[in-house]
Amino acid sequence: MGAVHEDEIEPRVRQLRKHVLGASDVEGHTRVVDSAGSARLANSALLVGVGRHRLMLRTGRGEDERARTCSRLQRAHSSLYVLLEPAESLPSQPPELLAAVEARRRAAQRLREGTGHERIIARIPKRRALITGVGGQDGSFLAELLLSQGYEVAGIVRRQPSVYASNLGAVLERIELVDADLLDRPSLNRALEETRPHEVFNLAAPSFVPRSWDEPVLTAEFAAVGVTSLLEAIRAVDPDIRFYQASSSEIFGRPLETPQTEETPLSPVTPYGVAKAYGHFIAHSYRDRYGLFACCGILYNHESIRRPLDFLPRKVARAAAAISLGLESTLRLGDLDARRDWGYAPDYVRAMWLMLQQDEPQDYIVASGESRSVRDLVACAFARVGLEFEPHVVSDPAFRRGVAELHDLVGDPNRAREVLGWTPSVAFEELVGILVDAELQSLSHGQAASSA
């Protein structure tokens, strides 16, 4: 490794620090009790640039000082960091950086231990997140995940809190519920000003695709106009907020390629898909024009017991359980050859969170990468209760989606796997088993209660 003369270290430190941090940030974000401590802190700020997330960072208002260039703007993102020993050097690091880090190692150690004065204390504030659609399947799982990560969580609601008790359960008392409406800009501004979130997850939209034909205007208002309204509120109140937009595989409609990637052209065929495509594009527009940190998660079908019963996997699981208990005899479905890419909802909300922890905003396909037919779903569910499905399942034309039926939606999750380190933890057969077992337990308890 090339040597660096001691006289060269200080100029290099100043030059690198100028790009990494900026001297004014040190004074603005750390409580320092004496000038000597301030000098040591300013010098050791260099350590920010080496071995990311493993060295010294201060927090004040939760902001880390890693600058990110995005569409002509310098941006910073809030993260939790503490003062640590410098990490092991990497072979790719330049010799001058290694030498400078070594020169600051002892200063960083003294800073941690104190030198006879009051110790410098870095307060690490909690991260704050605001979730629209917090009472739905995804919103409730996301709220639980964020709470487990130490976040303060707020959720936008339009109804009484008791409506959300079934999904939010025990965490309802730990969430701040804010009354606001995606179509009412002033209420969104107030919600952002009151909660001051670092991250906003927009999950609110009608999600039952067939119903979007019955209420196309309402669907467009919430899934398209509502996204724009929320982005405008973020731009007005705090452009540093990181924004997640819930896109959907329905934006691909009849795809031009299978499997779909983040670059596959959009071709929606339902009012829901068209509205989601608008939300997808408007998030891109605000990211490009205003430099907002906006990510779109293109999520394929993801299920749990928190889905309403009119969603197919839950409907099939409930019917299989009920038929096995002698409570029902027949299950009516549409096209048994229709295909979907199904996953488990808690896995997918984990991907949402990971997207907003990255250095740069991107869009991500979140999917299992496997195409399964409705017939596969039904066979697996009935096998779980020890039954053949054929005597009990009827294909009814009334339940078919007709020309809107989609057969080729299957996602390629490679980017999420490589960039986010995300992989689904629950496979298709396990997902179906989770749904059926939950329905068996629920129906069995209902039987026991009615006979008591």
Side-chain angles (χ1 to χ4, degrees):
M1 181 182 77
V4 177
H5 193 275
E6 183 177 357
D7 293 339
E8 298 178 1
I9 292 177
E10 195 64 33
R12 305 238 184 165
V13 170
R14 288 197 301 269
Q15 183 180 14
L16 181 60
R17 186 174 56 204
K18 179 179 178 182
H19 294 286
V20 174
L21 184 62
S24 62
D25 290 330
V26 175
E27 298 175 0
H29 295 291
T30 309
R31 182 171 67 84
V32 182
V33 298
D34 70 310
S35 58
S38 178
R40 289 195 299 274
L41 182 58
N43 285 335
S44 60
L46 172 64
L47 303 182
V48 172
V50 184
R52 287 168 42 208
H53 309 312
R54 296 162 61 194
L55 296 175
M56 197 283 294
L57 283 178
R58 287 108 19 253
T59 59
R61 195 184 172 273
E63 309 293 338
D64 78 41
E65 279 66 44
R66 288 179 296 109
R68 180 183 66 80
T69 302
C70 178
S71 301
R72 306 178 304 281
L73 295 179
Q74 288 292 327
R75 300 279 317 281
H77 179 46
S78 310
S79 297
L80 302 183
Y81 294 94
V82 294
L83 180 65
L84 299 174
E85 277 289 327
E88 291 300 319
S89 61
L90 302 176
S92 60
Q93 291 171 336
E96 59 267 27
L97 186 56
L98 295 176
V101 169
E102 182 62 30
R104 302 301 177 221
R105 185 182 296 271
R106 289 188 297 275
Q109 180 68 26
R110 290 196 301 272
L111 182 63
R112 284 210 325 279
E113 296 175 351
T115 56
H117 299 279
E118 180 185 356
R119 301 179 73 176
I120 297 173
I121 302 172
R123 292 184 305 130
I124 303 178
K126 284 190 175 183
R127 307 280 301 145
R128 294 184 298 277
L130 179 65
I131 305 171
T132 73
V134 70
Q137 170 190 260
D138 291 3
S140 60
F141 280 124
L142 179 61
E144 292 174 4
L145 172 65
L146 295 177
L147 288 170
S148 74
Q149 295 291 330
Y151 280 64
E152 294 176 350
V153 177
I156 287 181
V157 297
R158 294 191 302 149
R159 294 180 287 176
Q160 293 298 317
S162 58
V163 175
Y164 307 99
S166 60
N167 279 351
L168 292 172
V171 303
L172 184 59
E173 297 300 321
R174 300 170 59 193
I175 298 171
E176 178 185 358
L177 298 182
V178 182
D179 186 14
D181 190 323
L182 282 180
L183 304 181
D184 179 5
R185 268 286 311 284
S187 73
L188 290 177
N189 283 27
R190 286 194 300 272
L192 293 174
E193 289 166 354
E194 290 172 6
T195 58
R196 305 304 300 183
H198 301 93
E199 299 168 4
V200 170
F201 296 85
N202 182 35
L203 311 183
S207 57
F208 189 55
V209 177
R211 192 173 296 148
S212 70
W213 290 105
D214 300 326
E215 299 176 328
V217 175
L218 182 66
T219 300
E221 286 177 338
F222 280 97
V225 179
V227 182
T228 313
S229 184
L230 185 53
L231 285 166
E232 274 293 287
I234 289 172
R235 193 166 71 89
V237 175
D238 183 0
D240 284 341
I241 290 172
R242 294 195 166 196
F243 176 74
Y244 170 83
Q245 167 60 20
S247 289
S248 165
S249 60
E250 290 279 332
I251 64 178
F252 295 125
R254 296 190 187 92
L256 301 180
E257 59 185 9
T258 301
Q260 295 85 52
T261 71
E262 293 81 3
E263 282 72 43
T264 298
L266 309 192
S267 182
V269 298
T270 65
Y272 176 80
V274 171
K276 280 293 189 180
Y278 177 96
H280 188 82
F281 280 133
I282 200 66
H284 284 195
S285 296
Y286 275 67
R287 183 168 72 198
D288 293 340
R289 180 174 178 81
Y290 300 116
L292 295 187
F293 193 107
C295 295
C296 295
I298 308 170
L299 271 60
Y300 284 64
N301 293 65
H302 47 288
E303 314 298 331
S304 77
I305 197 63
R306 297 181 187 178
R307 278 284 211 191
L309 275 169
D310 46 6
F311 283 80
L312 180 64
R314 176 102 191 266
K315 177 181 178 179
V316 169
R318 170 60 69 95
I323 290 171
S324 72
L325 295 172
L327 301 176
E328 297 177 9
S329 60
T330 303
L331 169 61
R332 295 186 174 276
L333 298 173
D335 185 359
L336 296 181
D337 294 320
R339 305 187 71 85
R340 294 288 185 275
D341 183 330
W342 276 298
Y344 187 43
D347 282 340
Y348 285 43
V349 301
R350 178 165 47 88
M352 298 177 190
W353 174 68
L354 288 170
M355 292 178 202
L356 297 195
Q357 313 314 306
Q358 306 307 305
D359 291 336
E360 299 290 337
Q362 290 194 81
D363 301 332
Y364 296 88
I365 295 278
V366 183
S368 73
E370 298 180 355
S371 177
R372 301 281 188 159
S373 69
V374 175
R375 194 182 306 276
D376 294 334
L377 172 67
V378 172
C380 189
F382 277 80
R384 185 74 175 184
V385 295
L387 296 174
E388 298 289 334
F389 75 89
E390 288 86 355
H392 306 285
V393 177
V394 176
S395 180
D396 187 339
F399 291 95
R400 292 176 178 262
R401 292 175 63 177
V403 295
E405 187 60 77
L406 307 175
H407 292 264
D408 300 314
L409 290 182
V410 55
D412 178 355
N414 276 335
R415 179 183 291 177
R417 181 167 51 245
E418 294 171 2
V419 178
L420 306 180
W422 178 86
T423 55
S425 65
V426 175
F428 175 76
E429 291 77 9
E430 186 179 357
L431 165 64
V432 177
I434 290 171
L435 298 180
V436 173
D437 291 350
E439 298 293 355
L440 280 171
Q441 183 178 25
S442 175
L443 291 172
S444 297
H445 285 172
Q447 279 185 311
S450 63
S451 61

